[in-house]
Amino acid sequence: MIKKRINVLGVGFDDLDMEEAAAAAMTLMERKNSAYVVTPNPEIVMLCRENAELSKAVREASLVLPDGIGIIYGAKILGTPLKQKTPGIDFAQKLFGLMSEKQMSVFLLGAKPGVAEMAEKNLKARYKGLRFVGTNDGYFTDDAPVIRKINAASPDLLMVCLGAPKQELWMQKNAPMLKTGLMAGLGGSLDVFAGVAERAPEKWQKLGLEWLYRLKSEPSRAGRMKSLPKYVFAVIGQRIKNK
Ligand code: UDP
C-alpha cells in the first residue's frame, strides 16, 4: 500500500511495525471503502502457491501483515528482512485502543454461535469508548442476510474471523457489497477474546514459539502444520536460487 511489498515465496508483505500498521489501518478505516487487511502465516503462503484465487485475495488486500515468526525468518533468510511480526490478535488490540479514543464502532463476525457475544462482553469491559454494533456467528450458509445486517450497522471495523483461507476469500468476494470502514481477517481471535481458546504464555510468544504452544494445546492442528517443513525448504530453495 505504501511502498513496494517484500516478497516471501510469491506473497507480498507490507514492511510496517505495529505502530505504522495500526496508523495505516486507521487511515483506511476513515476512507470507508471496505478495504481489507490480511495477516498470512507460512501455511497461507504455501496455500497461495497452489490456489490462484486465494493468492489474488491476499494480493488485493490493502494491508498484508506478517502474522508470526515464520514469515519474519523467511524474509530474513531471503535477504529482505521485515521490521516486525504483527500477529493479528495484537494488531486487533492495538486498533481497539485507537478506535476506543475516537468512539469508533466494530462488528464481530465469526466463530461458533455465542462466541462473538462473549468476546463482545469481555472487550466492552476493556475498551470503554469502543462501540459494539453487531455480532454474527461464522457458520452461515447464505451471505446476503449477513451482509444486510452488517450494512445496517455500517461499522468502522468489521472483524472477519472465519479461519483462513475462508475469511480472505470472503472479504475479497464481498467487499464491493459491504458498507464498512475496514475489514480485518483475524482467524481465531474471537475465540481468544471470548476466553474459549487460550493464547500461548508471553514467554513462548517472545521466543517465537506460539505455533508450538498451539500444537501442544490443539494436537489436531498437526495435519495443517504439515506445510511448515515444506515452507522452510521452499524458503531455503528460493534463497539458493536468488544467489
Ligand atoms: N470458523 C468460522 N466459520 C467457519 C470455519 C471456522 O467462523 O466456517 C471460525 C472458527 O470457529 C474459529 C476461527 O474461525 O473461531 C478459526 O480459528 P483457527 O484457530 O483455525 O484460525 P486460523 O488458524 O485459521 O487463523
Side-chain angles (χ1 to χ4, degrees), residues 3 9 24 46 53 55 64 66 72-73 81 84 94 100 104 116 120 153 162 168 188 190 209 226 228 243:
K3 12 178 210 184
L9 301 181
M46 293 313 278
E53 214 188 326
S55 173
V64 184
I72 300 299
Y73 282 149
Q84 199 184 40
K94 180 83 194 165
S100 185
M104 291 171 98
E120 174 177 325
L162 305 174
E168 288 76 11
L190 287 178
L209 293 176
K226 266 193 206 131
L228 268 179
K243 268 199 170 168

Side-chain angles (χ1 to χ4, degrees), residues 110-112 138-139 161-164 166-167 187-188 191 214 221 224:
K112 299 210 173 106
Y139 293 85
C161 301
L162 305 174
K166 190 172 175 183
Q167 61 201 11
D191 293 330
R214 255 185 124 177
R221 295 183 81 87
R224 290 178 49 178

Side-chain angles (χ1 to χ4, degrees), residues 72-130:
I72 300 299
Y73 282 149
K76 197 168 170 192
I77 292 169
L78 291 168
T80 47
L82 283 157
K83 283 183 192 159
Q84 199 184 40
K85 64 172 172 165
T86 40
I89 192 143
D90 296 331
F91 175 69
Q93 293 180 84
K94 180 83 194 165
L95 280 188
F96 291 158
L98 296 172
M99 291 171 68
S100 185
E101 286 166 20
K102 299 185 172 188
Q103 276 86 49
M104 291 171 98
S105 60
V106 63
F107 188 112
L108 308 178
L109 171 67
K112 299 210 173 106
V115 172
E117 290 75 12
M118 268 152 67
E120 174 177 325
K121 187 167 162 268
N122 293 340
L123 291 168
K124 245 185 199 160
R126 241 197 284 168
Y127 302 97
K128 301 286 183 206
L130 199 56

Side-chain angles (χ1 to χ4, degrees), residues 190-206:
L190 287 178
D191 293 330
V192 176
F193 291 137
V196 297
E198 184 201 359
R199 213 184 159 191
E202 216 162 296
K203 259 192 198 160
W204 291 65
Q205 289 180 35
K206 285 211 174 111

Side-chain angles (χ1 to χ4, degrees), residues 20 29 121 163:
E20 293 165 335
M29 221 181 279
K121 187 167 162 268

Side-chain angles (χ1 to χ4, degrees), residues 53-66:
E53 214 188 326
L54 175 62
S55 173
K56 181 169 182 275
V58 169
R59 198 170 49 246
E60 288 183 1
S62 294
L63 274 176
V64 184
L65 304 174

